[in-house]
Amino acid sequence: MTFGDSWFNGENSVAAERTFGATAVRDLGYAPIVLGASGTSYVSSGPPPSDVPNYVDQIAAGELDIPERLRQRVGLILLEGGIGDENKDPAVVEVNAISVMQSLREAYPDAVPVVLGLFADANGFISEVRSAVDKAIERAASATGYMYISTATWRNPENAAGLNGADRAYPSSQGHLSLAEVLKQVLSDRQLAAQPDG
């Protein structure tokens, strides 16, 4: 199961099932269930006209209430987001991230919980502000027993142009495929591929 913002839910003609999160978990043997919403984050809500609430409020509104037949298939929680919170107070981001992580653990107690850190900006650099939010997410992971995976160098000055879509805010289709390969390798190295039945 993936939960996140536009990087997991799709943007600029990239469908949710073709984003790097869904692609990576599918390649590792999981049936991806994509939750969350584009334009949102731990603290930030989506911009008008959508006005979709932040992660905490999405969950309070029932975002995790999926059919039992799907719930039983969730072996991995893959949480992503935070770019939309780069101008928010990191302390508030940490509190909300802990709440989200705890809610996901309660909803899927048998799944392995993993959270991704923040990506670099469109030029491949991590600002101090973005880094502070990233550290808040890492602290939340430590507090809730999530496996934290840093993505800070996955988009860097050398490869950013090749990953970016036309608007430079989100990955292109090829960028998602490239990031999926990186994510798949990291999760595989941590022995998080789905185990065959039996």
Side-chain angles (χ1 to χ4, degrees):
M1 187 275 298
T2 69
F3 191 111
D5 57 21
S6 52
W7 286 58
F8 267 12
N9 284 270
E11 195 71 33
N12 293 341
S13 300
V14 178
E17 62 270 16
R18 297 299 177 191
T19 57
F20 78 97
T23 299
V25 300
R26 185 186 303 108
D27 288 351
L28 289 172
Y30 300 97
I33 300 167
V34 182
L35 302 177
S38 297
T40 65
S41 201
Y42 296 102
V43 177
S44 298
S45 298
S50 70
D51 294 318
V52 178
N54 63 31
Y55 292 179
V56 175
D57 291 337
Q58 286 178 54
I59 290 172
E63 180 68 5
L64 303 183
D65 297 338
I66 65 175
E68 183 62 27
R69 63 182 176 78
L70 296 179
R71 185 181 298 274
Q72 293 175 352
R73 293 161 52 189
V74 176
L76 176 72
I77 297 168
L78 190 58
L79 176 62
E80 173 272 335
I83 291 176
D85 291 333
E86 62 181 330
N87 293 316
K88 302 296 184 182
D89 182 346
V92 178
V93 174
E94 182 177 350
V95 169
N96 279 22
I98 287 173
S99 174
V100 170
M101 292 175 192
Q102 289 175 334
S103 293
L104 289 166
R105 288 291 296 267
E106 291 169 6
Y108 311 107
D110 298 324
V112 177
V114 178
V115 61
L116 303 183
L118 264 65
F119 283 87
D121 64 21
N123 296 312
F125 298 104
I126 291 278
S127 66
E128 289 186 12
V129 173
R130 191 170 289 205
S131 180
V133 172
D134 189 33
K135 287 181 171 59
I137 293 169
E138 184 175 11
R139 290 193 298 271
S142 178
T144 56
Y146 268 61
M147 180 184 297
Y148 166 83
I149 294 176
S150 175
T151 62
T153 61
W154 292 12
R155 180 163 69 170
N156 56 64
E158 286 71 38
N159 72 2
L163 295 177
N164 293 339
D167 65 357
R168 303 180 73 244
Y170 311 100
S172 63
S173 296
Q174 183 56 51
H176 276 287
L177 289 174
S178 297
L179 291 173
E181 285 300 314
V182 177
L183 177 57
K184 182 174 67 173
Q185 187 62 56
V186 170
L187 294 175
S188 181
D189 288 346
R190 300 193 184 201
Q191 300 183 332
L192 293 181
Q195 299 300 312
D197 293 338

